[in-house]
Amino acid sequence: MEIKIDDLTGPEVAELLNQHIQSMRAHSPPESKHALDLDGLRKPDITFWSGWETGELVGCVAILELDRKHGEIKSMKTHPDHLRKGIAKQLLDFIIEEARGRGYSRLSLETGAMEIFQPARKLYENSGFEYCEPFSDYKKDPNSVFMRREL
């Protein structure tokens, strides 16, 4: 897979992110939806990457710089046509290495607490993430799970 910084202008990326937002709306109440739309991802403290195989979008991931030593994983999504092919693991490995390269000492994330998010939580657990209290501006929420990994 080729993973590259993306300017968020391509229709494939817009469609994948729209699917991501719609999925979050379907499974999370509005006050617990933390997925960012295109405008939310275009902030200077966020870097967004898309993953491609033979010219086809297979997934995406972003990192929000919380401070010089702490990043947050945002908008990690595998295209529905490419589920269970190891795309998410490749994207996660990539973002962990990117965080290390930036000199971060911690990488955090928020994901859903509902059963549909269990595969994502398992992926994070298997990659060394541990459950933690809310970080940054997050508050305790029965629909959210918070995880972190020391780098």
Side-chain angles (χ1 to χ4, degrees):
M1 171 173 39
E2 178 189 5
I3 301 172
K4 57 187 179 181
I5 290 179
D6 196 296
D7 65 5
L8 296 156
T9 60
E12 302 95 340
V13 169
E15 177 57 29
L16 182 60
L17 289 171
N18 184 50
Q19 289 174 10
H20 184 57
I21 296 292
Q22 295 305 319
S23 176
M24 295 303 101
R25 285 184 181 146
H27 300 290
S28 301
E31 66 276 8
S32 299
K33 185 192 79 60
H34 302 289
L36 298 174
D37 61 14
L38 282 169
D39 288 336
L41 289 165
R42 288 187 177 119
K43 299 207 161 108
D45 52 356
I46 295 178
T47 307
F48 181 88
W49 292 268
S50 54
W52 301 82
E53 287 184 350
T54 60
E56 189 174 349
L57 178 65
V58 296
C60 62
V61 66
I63 194 166
L64 165 63
E65 184 167 291
L66 298 172
D67 63 45
R68 291 183 313 112
K69 295 290 184 183
H70 190 187
E72 178 185 358
I73 297 173
K74 299 295 289 181
S75 300
M76 194 162 116
K77 177 75 174 166
T78 300
H79 191 285
D81 294 343
H82 296 279
L83 295 173
R84 292 176 242 337
K85 295 181 181 178
I87 300 298
K89 174 76 168 114
Q90 291 178 62
L91 289 168
L92 184 57
D93 289 347
F94 170 84
I95 207 73
I96 290 168
E97 286 309 308
E98 177 67 24
R100 280 190 178 119
R102 290 178 175 206
Y104 294 168
S105 58
R106 177 180 291 166
L107 194 54
S108 300
L109 64 93
E110 178 276 336
T111 191
M114 291 72 86
E115 184 61 31
I116 194 159
F117 297 99
Q118 178 58 31
R121 292 191 307 268
K122 192 63 155 168
L123 171 69
Y124 297 131
E125 289 171 9
N126 290 341
S127 292
F129 283 80
E130 299 175 341
Y131 293 94
C132 65
E133 292 298 312
F135 59 93
S136 187
D137 295 332
Y138 291 106
K139 307 284 185 252
K140 282 194 178 234
D141 180 343
N143 298 301
S144 289
V145 168
F146 305 95
M147 302 179 83
R148 72 170 177 238
R149 177 174 166 168
E150 303 301 324
L151 300 176

